[in-house]
Amino acid sequence: MNRILLNSLFVQTQGAYLRLQGDTVRVEVEGELRLQVPLHHLGSLVLFGNVLVSPHLLARCSEDGRSVVWLSEHGRFQGRMVGRVSGNVLLRRAQYQALDEEEKALALAQAFVQAKVRNARVVLLRAVREGGASEVLSQALREQEAVLSALPRANSLDEVRGLEGQAAAAYFQAFGEMLLVPGFAFAGRVKRPPRDPVNALLSFLYTLLVSDAVSALEGVGLDPQVGYLHALRPGKPALALDLVEEFRAWWADRLALTLLNRRQLGPKHFLERPGGVVYLTEDGRREVLVAYQKRKQEEVIHPLLREPVPVGLLPHLQARLLARYLRGDLPRYPGFVAR
Amino acid sequence: MWDEAIPISALQHFAYCPRQCALIHVEAAWEDNLYTLRGRRAHEGVDLPEGLVREGVRVEFALPLYSERLGLVGRADAVEFHGGVPYPVEHKVGPRRTRRADEIQLCAQALCLEEMLGVEVPKGALFYRTSRKRREVVFTPELRALVAEVTEQVRTLLHSGHLPPPVKDARCRDCSLVEVCLPHLMDTLEETL
């Protein structure tokens, strides 16, 4: 549950107590030492829910310019303590500057879309493995390949957005094939407002993902509203939307398919209003939330760290890699690609 | 390109005052005042069927709305079904507002209902809570055209990202955003020069 990811200490164990001992942080749970980390290894502490920090440790973090981030137990951003000296200003300036540096903005948009399409491909390939290659699935896979090979040659944001749309259209055309239970049809992605149960479920899952991405970005000091692939709009978390592109297919879509195909969600979990708008019922939302939280605890091997990482920490990890790229510490932003 | 759907409420804000619309939907500013708080309470009260449901008429509350054709989304306070014909009823707190803002909002709801349900929606009503009176609104071709026109104007405004100048007239007195808008700031700024 506790781990160090590129100089951030994430503490998810409820009831944990963090205190300063010399130049180290001691993480105790019910009076028992769980972890001791030298402070100089840490850039920030990220605390989920009921996690306590001793005043001495807080003061020390503040002095050293180490940030402390509080999230709710489910990962919603609550607040951040930033000490006197902070890299945030420089990071945010770099984030804003990258908007006007065409090459950088383009490279980021390409990285987000590339990761998105490769992860969507993983989902389709799995369906082929399990049920054989239908014509629609094969067509979508071909389309994805075409997009992936055209992507590096794109030389404008609009071109990248066009390719993203092309891949998404093909993917969602095949998505219905992966629904194996009767009673749920899927004719394509319809949002704002959703007009069938599958779209209602996808919309809800995407909302959860976006809120996690906002928390993750705020956690590293990035402005979640200033993105590259997504155009700037008042009130729109463009960078969070950029970041979730990597996670939509293999995290949210896969979970939606599992919930429906295993009949954890049925027609009774959805409500249709006159005129065709469909929502999850309160019970339905509860089922989804429990499954979503469970998925966050599951571990996957991160392709860069080459070690198991809980799914719930992936957005935080990717946000940190993004910050590193923007500050010139990494030559490119490595989008997360599932195996 | 403003690719997202436009909230029906933005049409009402725009018809009342383009600057108010931009403050809310472009600058993301919102100030509660007596009127908006009362408005929220009025909308909470909409769930109570009292005074609204008539014998044998089915009523849908807080009905989600959309129009692909106009690129609108929103929610109707209440839609009554008179022999299968939808009849939107929008609750209003203050007195009748200028510039047909309320009619435009109601007619936009009707256009959404027509598209969603595939039936004609010839009229609806505005319900003023203070006077407890209904005012019926007929969706004339002229009003429908006005809705389409205002929708385009709002789309242009949201796309531009600019804040139109203040109107500085009687509307400001009742406006919930007057403290954010500062309609007379430019005048006093010039006086101090």
Side-chain angles (χ1 to χ4, degrees):
Chain A
M1 289 292 276
N2 310 312
R3 54 181 309 115
I4 306 154
L5 290 172
L6 297 177
N7 305 336
S8 276
L9 177 69
F10 295 89
V11 185
Q12 296 197 80
T13 308
Q14 299 302 288
Y17 181 61
L18 277 62
R19 58 191 192 85
L20 186 65
Q21 187 180 58
D23 284 331
T24 66
V25 184
R26 284 171 62 95
V27 181
E28 297 170 1
V29 180
E30 288 169 3
E32 220 174 88
L33 179 68
R34 285 289 181 87
L35 188 74
Q36 190 154 11
V37 196
L39 265 179
H40 66 266
H41 283 170
L42 298 176
S44 65
L45 309 179
V46 182
L47 315 172
F48 292 75
N50 181 25
V51 174
L52 293 167
V53 191
S54 78
H56 293 300
L57 177 55
L58 274 180
R60 176 64 188 274
C61 286
S62 168
E63 240 167 61
D64 297 354
R66 195 174 284 114
S67 64
V68 180
V69 181
W70 286 271
L71 308 178
S72 75
E73 192 179 344
H74 302 304
R76 194 168 44 80
F77 177 79
Q78 289 176 321
R80 177 170 66 234
M81 183 198 78
V82 190
R84 244 178 312 240
V85 188
S86 151
N88 282 353
V89 178
L90 298 178
L91 174 60
R92 275 201 301 280
R93 186 176 68 169
Q95 181 185 359
Y96 301 144
Q97 274 174 344
L99 262 184
D100 297 323
E101 287 171 41
E102 245 170 77
E103 238 172 80
K104 225 167 182 174
L106 182 63
L108 278 169
Q110 281 167 318
F112 292 127
V113 175
Q114 193 201 46
K116 175 191 176 131
V117 177
R118 287 178 66 185
N119 285 324
R121 206 175 146 70
V122 168
V123 173
L124 294 187
L125 282 171
R126 181 168 159 172
V128 169
R129 252 193 340 268
E130 285 171 0
S134 71
E135 188 37 49
V136 182
L137 282 174
S138 310
Q139 176 57 35
L141 284 164
R142 278 197 296 274
E143 197 76 30
Q144 286 177 333
E145 262 165 54
V147 166
L148 284 173
S149 67
L151 205 50
R153 293 195 303 274
N155 44 37
S156 74
L157 281 174
D158 277 343
E159 221 175 301
V160 175
R161 289 174 187 140
L163 287 166
E164 191 261 335
Q166 195 183 324
Y171 168 77
F172 278 120
Q173 215 141 52
F175 191 78
E177 295 244 331
M178 296 184 279
L179 286 163
L180 307 173
V181 285
F184 292 105
F186 183 81
R189 178 81 185 119
V190 182
K191 33 194 169 171
R192 281 213 80 188
R195 273 153 257 168
D196 60 71
V198 180
N199 273 299
L201 176 56
L202 290 179
S203 288
F204 183 59
L205 283 167
Y206 293 161
T207 306
L208 298 178
L209 269 187
V210 171
S211 117
D212 276 348
V214 169
S215 303
L217 293 166
E218 283 181 334
V220 301
L222 285 164
D223 181 341
Q225 303 217 357
V226 174
Y228 306 96
L229 175 64
H230 288 82
L232 302 189
R233 295 262 184 274
K236 175 166 133 181
L239 189 61
L241 293 168
D242 285 359
L243 189 60
V244 296
E245 294 298 353
E246 303 172 20
F247 303 115
R248 282 184 200 273
W250 77 266
W251 184 343
D253 299 357
R254 231 9 274 176
L255 189 58
L257 290 170
T258 305
L259 284 167
L260 293 170
N261 287 343
R262 291 195 188 149
R263 296 174 202 264
Q264 272 171 273
L265 283 179
K268 67 166 183 189
H269 292 114
F270 296 93
L271 179 71
E272 182 176 346
R273 304 294 308 270
V277 176
V278 174
Y279 288 127
L280 276 157
T281 63
E282 204 184 314
D283 272 354
R285 275 201 305 273
R286 195 172 305 122
E287 286 284 334
V288 178
L289 282 171
V290 168
Y292 183 79
Q293 281 311 123
K294 235 172 94 189
R295 178 72 179 129
K296 277 171 120 175
Q297 312 292 335
E298 288 168 18
E299 294 192 332
V300 293
I301 303 291
H302 192 277
L304 279 176
L305 294 184
R306 293 165 204 266
E307 57 172 309
V309 176
V311 168
L313 291 189
L314 287 172
H316 297 268
L317 180 54
Q318 291 307 116
R320 183 153 300 278
L321 294 174
L322 185 55
R324 292 244 164 140
Y325 167 73
L326 288 168
R327 294 287 285 121
D329 195 35
L330 287 176
R332 65 179 184 89
Y333 168 67
F336 175 81
V337 178
R339 305 193 158 198
Chain B
M1 183 186 66
W2 187 270
D3 41 7
E4 281 122 90
I6 288 167
I8 291 175
S9 62
L11 305 188
Q12 197 242 7
H13 297 138
F14 184 90
Y16 184 69
C17 167
R19 186 173 167 90
Q20 188 198 57
C21 179
L23 282 168
I24 294 168
H25 300 278
V26 177
E27 300 291 320
W30 180 261
E31 287 279 294
D32 272 324
N33 70 6
L34 188 64
Y35 300 103
T36 61
L37 287 174
R38 263 199 220 146
R40 191 178 308 150
R41 270 183 49 198
H43 282 85
E44 280 163 11
V46 170
D47 281 339
L48 301 172
E50 174 225 359
L52 200 68
V53 179
R54 282 184 276 165
E55 283 295 302
V57 175
R58 184 164 65 89
V59 187
E60 289 286 338
F61 299 103
L63 186 68
L65 301 173
Y66 66 87
S67 164
E68 302 268 9
R69 183 173 68 86
L70 293 166
L72 290 172
V73 286
R75 199 174 277 270
D77 282 346
V79 180
E80 303 175 353
F81 289 84
H82 297 265
V85 179
Y87 185 92
V89 181
E90 178 68 15
H91 281 220
K92 291 293 163 196
V93 175
R96 183 172 164 173
R97 281 196 147 185
T98 51
R99 296 178 178 257
R100 309 190 69 185
D102 295 345
E103 283 115 290
I104 287 168
Q105 182 185 18
L106 188 68
C107 183
Q109 295 178 1
L111 295 177
C112 289
L113 287 166
E114 287 186 341
E115 184 178 320
M116 292 162 66
L117 297 161
V119 292
E120 260 186 63
V121 183
K123 51 199 177 176
L126 295 164
F127 179 68
Y128 294 92
R129 288 181 73 91
T130 30
S131 59
R132 302 203 56 81
K133 283 211 173 83
R134 270 191 186 208
R135 184 161 68 86
E136 191 162 85
V137 177
V138 177
F139 306 128
T140 60
E142 181 256 333
L143 182 56
R144 288 160 183 266
L146 189 57
V147 171
E149 194 185 308
V150 171
T151 305
E152 273 324 296
Q153 287 171 334
V154 171
R155 190 167 277 120
T156 306
L157 173 69
L158 298 187
H159 173 60
S160 78
H162 291 308
L163 201 56
V167 292
K168 288 194 285 185
D169 61 22
R171 282 173 276 174
C172 299
R173 214 188 37 211
D174 295 331
C175 177
S176 59
L177 288 180
V178 71
E179 299 297 329
V180 181
C181 174
L182 300 170
H184 298 288
L185 183 65
M186 287 310 284
D187 302 346
T188 51
L189 200 64
E190 266 159 40
E191 278 163 28
T192 58
L193 281 179

Short mmCIF file of all heavy atoms in Angstrom, two decimals, chain A residues 55 65 147 160 162 278 288 308:
data_model
loop_
_atom_site.label_atom_id
_atom_site.label_comp_id
_atom_site.label_asym_id
_atom_site.label_seq_id
_atom_site.Cartn_x
_atom_site.Cartn_y
_atom_site.Cartn_z
N PRO A 55 3.22 17.43 13.57
CA PRO A 55 3.57 18.84 13.32
C PRO A 55 5.06 19.01 13.01
O PRO A 55 5.41 19.84 12.18
CB PRO A 55 3.22 19.53 14.65
CG PRO A 55 2.21 18.64 15.29
CD PRO A 55 2.56 17.26 14.86
N GLY A 65 10.75 22.81 1.52
CA GLY A 65 10.05 22.99 0.25
C GLY A 65 9.52 21.68 -0.30
O GLY A 65 9.38 21.49 -1.50
N VAL A 147 -3.58 4.71 -37.79
CA VAL A 147 -3.44 5.93 -36.98
C VAL A 147 -2.08 5.96 -36.30
O VAL A 147 -1.39 6.99 -36.29
CB VAL A 147 -4.59 6.01 -35.94
CG1 VAL A 147 -4.28 7.06 -34.88
CG2 VAL A 147 -5.91 6.33 -36.63
N VAL A 160 -3.48 15.82 -35.19
CA VAL A 160 -3.46 14.83 -34.12
C VAL A 160 -4.88 14.56 -33.63
O VAL A 160 -5.28 13.41 -33.45
CB VAL A 160 -2.57 15.29 -32.94
CG1 VAL A 160 -2.66 14.31 -31.78
CG2 VAL A 160 -1.13 15.43 -33.40
N GLY A 162 -7.59 14.94 -35.30
CA GLY A 162 -8.29 14.21 -36.36
C GLY A 162 -7.99 12.72 -36.29
O GLY A 162 -8.89 11.87 -36.39
N VAL A 278 -30.46 8.30 -20.43
CA VAL A 278 -30.32 7.17 -19.51
C VAL A 278 -29.29 7.50 -18.42
O VAL A 278 -28.23 8.07 -18.71
CB VAL A 278 -29.89 5.90 -20.28
CG1 VAL A 278 -29.59 4.76 -19.31
CG2 VAL A 278 -30.97 5.48 -21.25
N VAL A 288 -20.72 0.40 -9.30
CA VAL A 288 -19.60 0.87 -10.11
C VAL A 288 -18.48 1.41 -9.22
O VAL A 288 -17.31 1.10 -9.42
CB VAL A 288 -20.06 1.96 -11.10
CG1 VAL A 288 -18.87 2.48 -11.91
CG2 VAL A 288 -21.12 1.40 -12.05
N PRO A 308 5.63 -3.72 -9.87
CA PRO A 308 4.19 -3.59 -9.72
C PRO A 308 3.79 -2.26 -9.09
O PRO A 308 4.42 -1.79 -8.15
CB PRO A 308 3.81 -4.76 -8.80
CG PRO A 308 5.07 -5.34 -8.30
CD PRO A 308 6.21 -4.78 -9.05
#
